């Protein structure tokens, strides 16, 4: 896969991540800053490192499966492996300005 194709697929991946929400927070996982790494290989294998706002999040399984299913639906992604990580620890400074505004942090 050439760089232009890879870039277009990565943009679609980010757009798709913006459709995944924590059921308790009205902001998507990407704008919340929960996505730490997006690694798309030339063969279409995708690895995503993500975290949660809290380690004991009751919706963790739902969110991770939603991310996996939606990312595997992106054209050019053969399969997606979602790794749950807690380093570095998430904090509200990782959110986009839009997310902070939506949640009243600005």
């Amino acid at each position: 896969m050439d760089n232009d194709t890879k870039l277009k697929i990565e943009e679609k991946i980010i757009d798709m991540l913006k459709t995944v929400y924590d059921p308790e927070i009205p902001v998507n996982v990407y704008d919340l800053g929960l996505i730490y790494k997006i690694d798309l290989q030339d063969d279409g294998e995708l690895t995503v490192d993500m975290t949660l706002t809290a380690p004991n999040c009751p919706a963790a399984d739902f969110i991770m499966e939603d991310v996996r299913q939606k990312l595997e639906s992106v054209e050019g992604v053969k399969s997606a492996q979602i790794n749950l990580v807690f380093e570095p620890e998430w904090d509200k400074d990782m959110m986009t300005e839009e997310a902070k505004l939506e949640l009243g942090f600005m």
Side-chain angles (χ1 to χ4, degrees):
M1 140 181 355
D2 64 33
N3 282 340
D4 284 343
T5 303
K6 193 172 187 177
L7 185 60
K8 287 177 184 170
I9 295 170
E10 288 173 346
E11 287 173 1
K12 290 178 186 175
I13 287 168
I14 291 169
D15 289 343
M16 189 60 74
L17 286 168
K18 289 182 176 186
T19 71
V20 179
Y21 288 79
D22 180 320
E24 298 177 343
I25 304 172
V27 176
N28 67 71
V29 296
Y30 189 82
D31 288 337
L32 277 172
L34 301 180
I35 305 301
Y36 287 171
K37 180 178 88 171
I38 298 170
D39 183 21
L40 179 63
Q41 300 298 310
D42 288 340
D43 64 359
E45 297 286 335
L46 174 64
T47 303
V48 172
D49 288 355
M50 69 174 291
T51 194
L52 301 168
T53 56
N56 58 351
C57 174
D61 291 340
F62 169 79
I63 295 169
M64 290 183 61
E65 183 61 14
D66 196 23
V67 167
R68 187 190 63 75
Q69 286 180 1
K70 287 185 174 178
L71 292 181
E72 286 183 347
S73 76
V74 172
E75 186 177 335
V77 174
K78 188 168 115 181
S79 69
Q81 177 178 333
I82 313 304
N83 299 319
L84 185 59
V85 298
F86 292 103
E87 293 292 325
E89 186 176 336
W90 179 87
D91 71 40
K92 66 180 173 141
D93 292 334
M94 295 174 170
M95 292 188 289
T96 63
E97 297 297 316
E98 294 84 6
K100 290 177 184 176
L101 188 61
E102 175 74 25
L103 296 174
F105 290 120
M106 292 184 66

